[in-house]
Amino acid sequence: MFRTLPTPDPSEFAGKRVVVTGGSRGIGAAVVQRFLDGGATVVTTARTATDTTPAGAAFIPGDLSSADGVHAFASAALQHLGGVDVVVNNAGAARTHLGGIGTIPDDEWTDALDLNYLSAVRLNNALLPAVREAGAGSVIINISSGSAVLPAGPLAHYGAAKAALNAYGKALASELAPAGIRVTTVMPGNVLTPGADAIRQDFADAMGVDLAATTAAVPLGRPGDPRDIAEAVAYLASDRAQWVTGTTLTVDGGELPTF
């Protein structure tokens, strides 16, 4: 069971201007709320808001699966914030193909790359002048997935896109380090979110097991809560991690293999 966390310091991110993609529900919503609890001003986006979208954030509807959609959101976010100190690229989704890799249509490979990888590349590029202007201490955090290192055939397109995101994050970190801008990646394991639950249900149905069985192997005894990931993001965005860049932080309850 998820244990209650200490109350965040409401001044931890005071004055920080934060952009979070995919913030309408699940991990993204938890990340948005964590920054709000720390005193940040937050802009977030998704195709539509939900009843779990944090009310304290400015929500800008958008579709980040295209270059035009990314640029439109970036422009609106900068207009609202006047600058940006922290960027969290969380937008992502995939459709399960239980028939295996050969049944994934070409257009879904492209779609997976556009949303799960290129949306981050495009948004970072669009916001980078503002991030540079904010100066040393600015942070970019990309949200990847355990599928990047332990991909399953039915989600190979998603895993490939997230693996690309991991590699890109490392390269960007090296490039931006001389400016004091840190770039890190968070790689969640089995976290309870609406999107991930739908995918796990597909696998459970195919295997003839109940949904709980798909997370039973987590060594710490429970699946992840979105707040587990939000806390990792908060650490990486904070001055406590001022000497951390170019790394991929796995937050998985011990389930994924080490390499």
Side-chain angles (χ1 to χ4, degrees), residues 54 143 228 233:
I143 307 298
D228 292 311
V233 170

Side-chain angles (χ1 to χ4, degrees), residues 10-11 33 84 89 92 97 140 154 176 229:
S11 66
Q33 189 61 58
V84 61
N89 291 292
H97 289 272
I140 295 172
L176 297 182
I229 310 306

Side-chain angles (χ1 to χ4, degrees), residues 80-98:
H80 181 87
L81 293 171
V84 61
D85 303 286
V86 180
V87 181
V88 181
N89 291 292
N90 172 69
R95 183 178 293 114
T96 309
H97 289 272
L98 294 173

Side-chain angles (χ1 to χ4, degrees), residues 19-22 31 64 70 73 86-92 115-125 127 139-144 162 165 168 172 183-184 186 233:
V19 171
V20 180
T21 67
V31 169
L64 301 188
V70 171
F73 168 66
V86 180
V87 181
V88 181
N89 291 292
N90 172 69
L115 181 57
N116 299 290
Y117 168 51
L118 289 175
S119 67
V121 175
R122 290 163 175 159
L123 185 62
N124 290 341
N125 286 343
L127 295 179
V139 180
I140 295 172
I141 301 171
N142 300 318
I143 307 298
S144 182
K162 290 300 191 180
L165 184 64
Y168 158 75
L172 187 63
V183 181
T184 56
V186 175
V233 170

Side-chain angles (χ1 to χ4, degrees), residues 17-110:
R17 300 156 298 179
V18 181
V19 171
V20 180
T21 67
S24 66
R25 62 180 191 169
I27 289 173
V31 169
V32 169
Q33 189 61 58
R34 181 61 179 81
F35 278 112
L36 290 172
D37 291 344
T41 302
V42 185
V43 167
T44 190
T45 188
R47 287 185 173 90
T48 57
T50 73
D51 58 2
T52 61
T53 305
F59 180 81
I60 300 173
D63 181 358
L64 301 188
S65 64
S66 71
D68 288 346
V70 171
H71 293 150
F73 168 66
S75 177
L78 287 174
Q79 184 174 6
H80 181 87
L81 293 171
V84 61
D85 303 286
V86 180
V87 181
V88 181
N89 291 292
N90 172 69
R95 183 178 293 114
T96 309
H97 289 272
L98 294 173
I101 295 172
T103 67
I104 303 172
D106 281 357
D107 61 343
E108 289 198 32
W109 286 95
T110 302

